[in-house]
Amino acid sequence: MTPSVAFSLSSSGVNTLSGSFPKSHSSQCSDLRVTCTPLSVDHSPDSGLLPSSRFRFVSWHRLEQCDVTGDQLTCPRVREGPSEEELCLREGGDISLERWRRRRRREEEGQRWEERLQENWENCVELNLSYQDLGDPFQKENFLRILRRLIRVEKLQLTDNSLTNLSSVRLPRCRVLNLHRNHLVSLHQLPKLPAVEHLCLSENAIGSLGGLGALGNSPLRSLNLTRNPVTFTQDYRAR
């Protein structure tokens, strides 16, 4: 089974642009997939577990009285957790796989829309998704899924994520995009950026200016190509 993807609150808590700060959720984490919650945890003095340990695998949307939405997260982070099957086995020990699948299907059908509303990525204006360490395909898929929902983001940080192709993503309101230290080899792999003003592509592997024309209709003011092979092209700056 595939491990779940969890987004935990950063040390900064919430987006300061929102104007208000919800209650502390330092021990809570958000999960983009429905997971099963362990029903019992040993909290005896000899167990070595902190009181908050019982929350470490709880999915974001199953936490009681949690009103945090995606647009309030300042620096979400993709994390790898135990598989859903493993969590269910911890719950019941000998729980059957078929029973687990039926329960999972029922939960997904009932919670999918509610979770989408709580994620609320569509209303993010400024977001930092840098240093995600996207080592597994399921993490990359969910990462792209979130990027496609950022229809109102204006400032986006995607530093050091080993990204190779964002051409399927459109960021219609993004004015500032930082793609420093990724694995892009061509400008054709950039997302659609009709409103971009400042674009940082330093320390990628871009070898030519092919695809630069796609930015011709945008109000681009600065383009950083430092430490890309293209900088060795004759007259590249003038071009």
Side-chain angles (χ1 to χ4, degrees):
M1 302 302 296
T2 307
S4 61
V5 179
F7 279 77
S8 63
L9 297 182
S10 67
S11 59
S12 57
V14 297
N15 193 331
T16 55
L17 295 179
S18 65
S20 62
F21 291 82
K23 297 178 180 179
S24 173
H25 299 279
S26 59
S27 64
Q28 303 168 356
C29 65
S30 60
D31 196 339
L32 298 182
R33 297 174 184 245
V34 177
T35 61
C36 300
T37 307
L39 296 179
S40 62
V41 177
D42 182 10
H43 293 295
S44 63
D46 297 330
S47 67
L49 296 175
L50 295 173
S52 61
S53 295
R54 63 193 176 98
F55 294 113
R56 68 190 186 283
F57 298 134
V58 179
S59 66
W60 174 24
H61 310 98
R62 295 181 66 184
L63 291 170
E64 295 182 2
Q65 299 179 344
C66 177
D67 57 356
V68 175
T69 56
D71 58 310
Q72 293 177 301
L73 302 178
T74 304
C75 300
R77 180 170 174 80
V78 178
R79 295 186 182 276
E80 180 177 353
S83 67
E84 297 174 21
E85 181 180 9
E86 180 181 347
L87 291 179
C88 287
L89 290 174
R90 294 182 186 183
E91 259 188 41
D94 58 348
I95 185 172
S96 69
L97 185 59
E98 184 59 30
R99 178 183 171 191
W100 167 71
R101 286 175 175 170
R102 288 199 302 269
R103 181 172 62 182
R104 179 187 178 191
R105 191 181 304 115
R106 187 165 56 249
E107 289 179 346
E108 285 182 342
E109 291 174 353
Q111 296 181 9
R112 186 177 296 119
W113 180 247
E114 181 180 348
E115 291 176 3
R116 181 179 177 88
L117 291 177
Q118 189 167 6
E119 286 180 3
N120 199 28
W121 300 119
E122 287 80 4
N123 286 322
C124 288
V125 176
E126 184 171 350
L127 189 61
N128 188 344
L129 290 172
S130 300
Y131 310 110
Q132 295 295 328
D133 192 20
L134 304 173
D136 297 287
F138 78 91
Q139 292 177 325
K140 296 177 181 178
E141 291 172 6
N142 274 301
F143 188 76
L144 288 175
R145 181 183 70 86
I146 292 171
L147 292 184
R148 294 188 187 105
R149 292 179 59 183
L150 297 176
I151 58 176
R152 293 182 176 86
V153 72
E154 297 181 5
K155 295 182 180 180
L156 181 59
Q157 304 289 332
L158 299 177
T159 298
D160 201 2
N161 282 324
S162 301
L163 300 174
T164 58
N165 194 341
L166 298 176
S167 59
S168 64
V169 177
R170 178 180 173 81
L171 302 170
R173 296 190 183 183
C174 186
R175 297 183 295 104
V176 179
L177 177 60
N178 186 353
L179 283 165
H180 170 72
R181 196 176 294 167
N182 280 282
H183 295 168
L184 301 174
V185 300
S186 168
L187 295 175
H188 292 290
Q189 297 171 334
L190 291 175
K192 281 72 174 178
L193 299 165
V196 69
E197 298 178 11
H198 303 282
L199 178 59
C200 179
L201 299 172
S202 56
E203 295 192 32
N204 277 269
I206 298 172
S208 74
L209 294 175
L212 188 61
L215 298 173
N217 294 325
S218 65
L220 189 64
R221 297 171 56 190
S222 66
L223 174 62
N224 188 342
L225 289 168
T226 304
R227 295 188 179 180
N228 279 271
V230 69
T231 59
F232 294 100
T233 303
Q234 185 174 5
D235 298 328
Y236 99 93
R237 191 177 295 275
R239 292 172 56 191

